[in-house]
Amino acid sequence: MSELLSPLAQLKEFKKTAIVSPLWMIGEVICEMIIPILMGKIVDEGIGNKDMGYIASTGILMLGIALLGLFCGCMGGLTRSKASAGLSRNLRKAMHDNIQTFSFANIDKFSTSGLVTRLTTDVSNIQNAFMMVLSMAVRAPMSMIVAMILAFYLNARIASIYLIAVIILSIIMGTLMITTTRYFKKVFERYDQLNESVQENVSAIRVVKAYVREDYENNKFKKAAGNIYEMFLKAEMRLACIGPVMTTTINVCILLISWIGAHMIVSGSLTTGQLMSLLAYCMNILMSLMMVSMIFVMLTMSEASVRRIAEVINEKSLLTNPENPVMDVKDGAIEFKNVDFAYKKEAKEPVLKNINLSIKSGESVGIIGATGSAKSSLVNLISRLYDVTSGSVTVGGVDVRDYDIETLRNQVSVVLQKNELFSGTILDNLRWGDPNATQEECIRACQMACADEFIERMPERYNTHIEQGGSNVSGGQKQRICIARALLKKPKILILDDSTSAVDTATDAKIRKAFNDEIPNTTKLIIAQRISSVENCDRIIIMDNGQINDFGTPNELLERNEIYREIYESQTGSSADADFDEKN
Ligand SMILES: Nc1ncnc2c1ncn2[C@@H]1O[C@H](COP(=O)(O)OP(=O)(O)OP(=O)(O)O)[C@@H](O)[C@H]1O
Ligand SMILES: [Mg+2]
């Protein structure tokens, strides 16, 4: 329960507005309630005694109260809009801020489409529900109770008709609402399916087209949309019954009140004015009852959204800064001591098993191995993208968990296997590496990454606009910009995870030569599928099924390691077409 209330804590600076809003509504209700009494008095005393003065003064009073009610209503509307829009802004900000602290392991838990839905649709649901609660949750019950008290005060016999009507209506509406909310809940579960289908399809539209999967995708979407249609229809059909049930009840009540009231007027126990007031209260009470039932629907509809938002806000980052973090990375030496690593705690087999490794500062180390042999997993531990399950990883002689995360990540620059560029100019993208880098420094980094040659040929050169996800540059160009971006950090350790796979062999060689000449003191870890990308490294790690199969200089490996020799021979053309994967 407290988890469900946690999104409300995000009201913060809007708390006062949210409390004041129902008070304005109470003001409006009181004004609304006084008017029927005054109306009754005009009829009984003004018209009955033909007293124009009384009619005029009471009329003016009624106008004043109506205007006051209008003012209260407007203020109520304004404050509730402000509070609900503010809540939605704060919720989005809180979620966004927390997502930024997520470790890779946290991100693995939520799907991207799930996070987007939570940030958009779910927040909108809460905003609407909160607005409704602010406007009606106090107003409707209050108006019902006050009208009921006044009705009993005017005439207890007639007022008891209301009480019976309210009881009967509550039973009918309650039953309708229970089934309706059940369907609405199902609708929201199915929204997730729909969003997943849309997001997957839109973000991978090129792949869909390349594989001519439009029909399949259309069917998938049609099914998801059809499911929602069916559930909505069932829910709305039940909601649609509420209107006629209400109208019938109101009409029956009016009929009864008029019948009994007419008899009472004739017998002199009720005045015409009182009857008019009673009829107005009848409408008031039954309408309020309808509002209460709508609040009930709205709250159940938003419950799922509240739960989903609370999950994101309350998710604790699995990576935290230590209490007294080390703020300086001495050098680029790396050591793995008895490291085991699994992505999930409950996994039976760890992805990395008993890794012991020592890399000197400034060394260049190649990493090769079959796909899925855990090369990326190994290097991701160095900049703490994930934390080890057991054992330890040290950089510059200090456990990576003892560093300030920002310091560590600035010194350990990773070009991830799945890299991204962001919308903005090439310079904007490069400056992710170093926001204060001068244009000359950016150009220098691009020269090292062999990116300058194609950037210079672009119409606006370094100011060329990159589309979202880097869709207007080729795979190899994107990789080279990403390498330049990583170089701008001037790191002590540079990790390239298959970062030149789309770059031609000659350019790949040029990039490696530039690294050796220009950043000789930086430790370089190069994951590659091509032997040529790693054969000039000081040493090479051969990964095999989550373990280090061998670690040595290229010459040593050529002599003693069968896997390396086979790959070497296959890729340099001196053997049949052996491949990493064939070893598995
Ligand atoms: N985020 C993740 N969550 C769960 N398991 C994962 C995750 N990433 C990778 N794995 C698993 O860990 C194992 C090692 O994956 P890893 O990406 O480290 O291999 P790799 O050697 O880099 O492969 P490739 O050459 O294809 O890049 C694989 O079996 C993979 O299924
Ligand atoms: Mg990989």
Side-chain angles (χ1 to χ4, degrees):
M1 192 62 200
S2 65
E3 190 212 13
L4 281 182
L5 288 178
S6 64
L8 271 188
Q10 296 303 326
L11 259 177
K12 292 178 182 167
E13 68 268 36
F14 297 100
K15 209 180 263 167
K16 239 202 280 169
T17 324
I19 294 171
V20 168
S21 180
L23 297 182
W24 286 113
M25 300 314 294
I26 292 176
E28 194 193 2
V29 170
I30 293 173
C31 293
E32 264 177 22
M33 294 295 141
I34 296 174
I35 287 177
I37 295 186
L38 293 179
M39 213 166 67
K41 289 207 160 172
I42 287 184
V43 173
D44 287 346
E45 289 169 35
I47 301 178
N49 302 334
K50 298 204 172 64
D51 182 351
M52 278 313 282
Y54 184 84
I55 294 176
S57 62
T58 317
I60 290 169
L61 185 62
M62 263 173 87
L63 184 70
I65 289 175
L67 285 176
L68 184 65
L70 184 72
F71 176 72
C72 289
C74 287
M75 288 309 287
L78 256 165
T79 42
R80 73 169 170 266
S81 307
K82 196 170 159 194
S84 52
L87 173 68
S88 115
R89 184 195 74 183
N90 288 356
L91 277 176
R92 288 203 170 103
K93 189 168 176 311
M95 273 199 279
H96 188 266
D97 287 355
N98 205 30
I99 291 171
Q100 300 306 312
T101 69
F102 279 8
S103 67
F104 276 36
N106 291 114
I107 297 166
D108 287 346
K109 254 173 82 176
F110 298 96
S111 68
T112 319
S113 63
L115 285 178
V116 174
T117 322
R118 285 166 213 242
L119 275 162
T120 50
T121 321
D122 285 329
V123 175
S124 301
N125 279 345
I126 293 191
Q127 182 177 344
N128 290 338
F130 190 61
M131 188 133 133
M132 181 122 170
V133 167
L134 282 188
S135 78
M136 295 186 189
V138 177
R139 187 202 154 112
M142 166 100 186
S143 149
M144 206 158 101
I145 293 166
V146 174
M148 194 69 98
I149 293 172
L150 289 176
F152 267 96
Y153 165 74
L154 283 176
N155 191 299
R157 214 173 120 198
I158 292 186
S160 49
I161 298 177
Y162 302 158
L163 205 59
I164 296 167
V166 166
I167 293 169
I168 295 174
L169 258 187
S170 303
I171 295 171
I172 298 175
M173 290 226 239
T175 336
L176 278 176
M177 289 300 146
I178 288 168
T179 46
T180 312
T181 44
R182 216 173 41 218
Y183 287 118
F184 271 129
K185 262 192 182 163
K186 283 196 185 139
V187 167
F188 283 99
E189 277 163 25
R190 289 179 191 195
Y191 259 135
D192 263 5
Q193 284 173 11
L194 184 82
N195 282 332
E196 203 178 280
S197 166
V198 174
Q199 294 220 348
E200 215 169 55
N201 181 291
V202 173
S203 60
I205 188 78
R206 289 160 211 265
V207 186
V208 172
K209 295 213 166 292
Y211 281 80
V212 204
R213 297 278 283 182
E214 289 96 333
D215 283 347
Y216 172 81
E217 287 295 320
N218 277 343
N219 278 336
K220 202 164 93 182
F221 182 80
K222 208 167 121 192
K223 218 163 124 190
N227 269 336
I228 292 182
Y229 161 78
E230 273 170 29
M231 285 300 148
F232 250 126
L233 198 66
K234 283 183 181 159
E236 296 288 356
M237 265 161 60
R238 278 154 186 79
L239 274 189
C241 294
I242 293 180
V245 170
M246 282 300 300
T247 328
T248 317
T249 320
I250 291 176
N251 286 339
V252 170
C253 281
I254 289 176
L255 211 71
L256 278 174
I257 295 166
S258 307
W259 175 260
I260 300 173
H263 276 95
M264 291 172 93
I265 291 174
V266 172
S267 68
S269 53
L270 188 78
T271 64
T272 322
Q274 282 173 333
L275 181 65
M276 279 182 70
S277 310
L278 282 167
L279 285 173
Y281 289 136
C282 167
M283 291 289 275
N284 231 309
I285 291 171
L286 298 181
M287 281 302 181
S288 305
L289 186 67
M290 191 159 93
M291 282 184 202
V292 172
S293 62
M294 293 313 285
I295 294 173
F296 184 60
V297 177
M298 203 71 185
L299 284 181
T300 355
M301 272 164 76
S302 60
E303 191 201 313
S305 297
V306 171
R307 199 178 294 280
R308 286 155 55 88
I309 288 177
E311 269 171 17
V312 180
I313 295 180
N314 298 334
E315 175 81 8
K316 293 266 176 303
S317 174
L318 296 169
L319 278 192
T320 44
N321 247 350
E323 267 189 23
N324 297 308
V326 180
M327 299 301 285
D328 182 44
V329 179
K330 193 167 83 267
D331 59 34
I334 303 166
E335 196 161 350
F336 280 67
K337 287 182 206 147
N338 305 321
V339 169
D340 277 350
F341 170 67
Y343 281 97
K344 294 198 173 69
K345 278 200 188 82
E346 59 275 14
K348 280 194 212 108
E349 270 274 297
V351 172
L352 284 166
K353 286 159 276 212
N354 195 26
I355 304 284
N356 283 292
L357 188 65
S358 180
I359 295 170
K360 292 195 275 292
S361 183
E363 209 175 356
S364 71
V365 174
I367 304 175
I368 56 174
T371 49
S373 59
K375 304 181 291 295
S376 300
S377 308
L378 180 84
V379 296
N380 284 346
L381 300 179
I382 303 172
S383 59
R384 263 195 104 189
L385 296 179
Y386 289 94
D387 269 342
V388 294
T389 310
S390 67
S392 69
V393 178
T394 63
V395 164
V398 176
D399 192 311
V400 286
R401 286 166 292 193
D402 294 337
Y403 280 112
D404 167 60
I405 296 180
E406 201 176 326
T407 309
L408 178 74
R409 293 202 178 144
N410 278 335
Q411 293 303 330
V412 182
S413 192
V414 193
V415 181
L416 292 171
Q417 190 165 14
K418 273 191 221 142
N419 234 306
E420 281 299 341
L421 291 178
F422 293 82
S423 45
T425 64
I426 293 185
L427 272 182
D428 292 339
N429 269 285
L430 289 169
R431 286 191 177 129
W432 274 61
D434 175 5
N436 303 318
T438 61
Q439 180 143 356
E440 285 65 41
E441 283 174 310
C442 292
I443 294 176
R444 187 77 210 97
C446 286
Q447 283 167 347
M448 265 201 268
C450 290
D452 64 320
E453 39 193 79
F454 72 85
I455 296 175
E456 291 291 343
R457 284 202 306 274
M458 288 179 153
E460 290 178 69
R461 303 171 65 213
Y462 283 84
N463 291 318
T464 307
H465 191 81
I466 302 279
E467 304 291 338
Q468 187 197 5
S471 56
N472 59 340
V473 284
S474 77
Q477 290 172 340
K478 190 166 151 184
Q479 285 188 332
R480 283 182 269 173
I481 298 177
C482 290
I483 295 176
R485 178 171 71 184
L487 283 172
L488 273 169
K489 280 192 178 230
K490 301 193 189 72
K492 293 210 164 83
I493 298 173
L494 176 69
I495 298 172
L496 304 184
D497 190 350
D498 222 3
S499 310
T500 52
S501 57
V503 176
D504 62 276
T505 324
T507 312
D508 187 11
K510 256 164 74 185
I511 297 174
R512 271 179 288 116
K513 183 168 179 317
F515 283 175
N516 286 338
D517 296 346
E518 310 265 343
I519 46 167
N521 297 326
T522 300
T523 311
K524 293 166 280 287
L525 295 188
I526 301 170
I527 298 182
Q529 296 289 345
R530 282 198 297 248
I531 284 284
S532 63
S533 303
V534 294
E535 67 181 347
N536 294 320
C537 289
D538 298 328
R539 287 193 290 172
I540 297 172
I541 299 171
I542 296 181
M543 289 300 294
D544 185 24
N545 200 16
Q547 283 173 315
I548 294 178
N549 174 277
D550 209 341
F551 185 26
T553 64
N555 286 337
E556 283 168 1
L557 293 179
L558 205 52
E559 257 171 46
R560 70 172 182 225
N561 191 284
E562 205 185 324
I563 302 180
Y564 185 77
R565 201 165 47 237
E566 266 189 42
I567 302 304
Y568 181 84
E569 286 170 0
S570 75
Q571 293 193 5
T572 50
S574 45
S575 158
D577 49 354
D579 195 358
F580 290 119
D581 287 340
E582 289 186 4
K583 293 299 300 173
N584 290 342

